Amino acid sequence: MKNQKGQALIEILIAIAILGVVAVAFLSALTTASRAIIIGDERTSAEGLVRSELEYVRSRDFSPPPWSYNVSTTGYSTDSDYPSWWDETDPEFHKIPSEYTGYCARVTAQGYDASGNGQDDTGISEITVEVYHNENPNPDDMVLTVTTYKVFL
């Protein structure tokens, strides 16, 4: 019994150290999982916004490229030509739904050379939608980019 003095204290300290290591590992995993959920939610919102904008563009008449516009829940803007179907006189013309508050989309159209002859083909546009987790396009805040084509024959 004499040799066991202080042994209980050492056992308790070792148990607390093991518990601390397990707790740190658990909390680290919890933080990682929480961040993954946030990223997944952000990406899901961005995918919904992309689908919405692509459907919006597809439902419009063909507009010869190049053109682009930025749209958010507060309004729209452009740094080049608007599509021919765009109504610049109406500030409420196109906004994204309020469920996407904090996001914006940049939609661009450019010509596409499907035949490979060095000239853009008439009636084919390459449509790109970029979604940002910000009310203004900023490359650091880009969440998702999707490119598709619109054909008008």
Side-chain angles (χ1 to χ4, degrees):
M1 285 265 188
K2 224 177 194 185
N3 294 339
Q4 293 183 356
K5 250 187 177 175
Q7 200 171 18
L9 178 61
I10 292 173
E11 290 172 351
I12 291 171
L13 290 175
I14 290 173
I16 289 173
I18 291 172
L19 185 62
V21 169
V22 169
V24 166
F26 176 75
L27 291 175
S28 177
L30 191 61
T31 301
T32 301
S34 174
R35 181 70 182 138
I37 289 170
I38 290 168
I39 290 170
D41 184 47
E42 185 176 76
R43 185 153 176 104
T44 300
S45 294
E47 288 172 356
L49 182 52
V50 163
R51 279 194 293 279
S52 173
E53 282 304 305
L54 285 175
E55 191 58 39
Y56 181 77
V57 170
R58 284 184 183 133
S59 71
R60 300 295 178 176
D61 292 334
F62 185 79
S63 178
W67 53 261
S68 71
Y69 65 87
N70 304 323
V71 64
S72 68
T73 55
T74 58
Y76 60 83
S77 66
T78 190
D79 51 297
S80 71
D81 294 331
Y82 283 110
S84 59
W85 39 261
W86 199 268
D87 184 2
E88 292 180 73
T89 62
D90 182 4
E92 301 294 315
F93 175 66
H94 181 55
K95 292 181 182 179
I96 58 176
S98 61
E99 66 194 74
Y100 299 112
T101 299
Y103 290 89
C104 75
R106 177 174 173 73
V107 182
T108 58
Q110 54 191 5
Y112 183 71
D113 179 14
S115 60
N117 64 4
Q119 295 180 346
D120 292 341
D121 295 342
T122 304
I124 301 177
S125 292
E126 182 179 78
I127 309 295
T128 303
V129 180
E130 299 170 340
V131 176
Y132 301 86
H133 197 182
N134 194 334
E135 288 288 330
N136 297 305
N138 178 346
D140 295 336
D141 298 326
M142 187 183 295
V143 178
L144 182 65
T145 301
V146 175
T147 300
T148 190
Y149 301 92
K150 182 172 181 171
V151 178
F152 182 77
L153 301 173

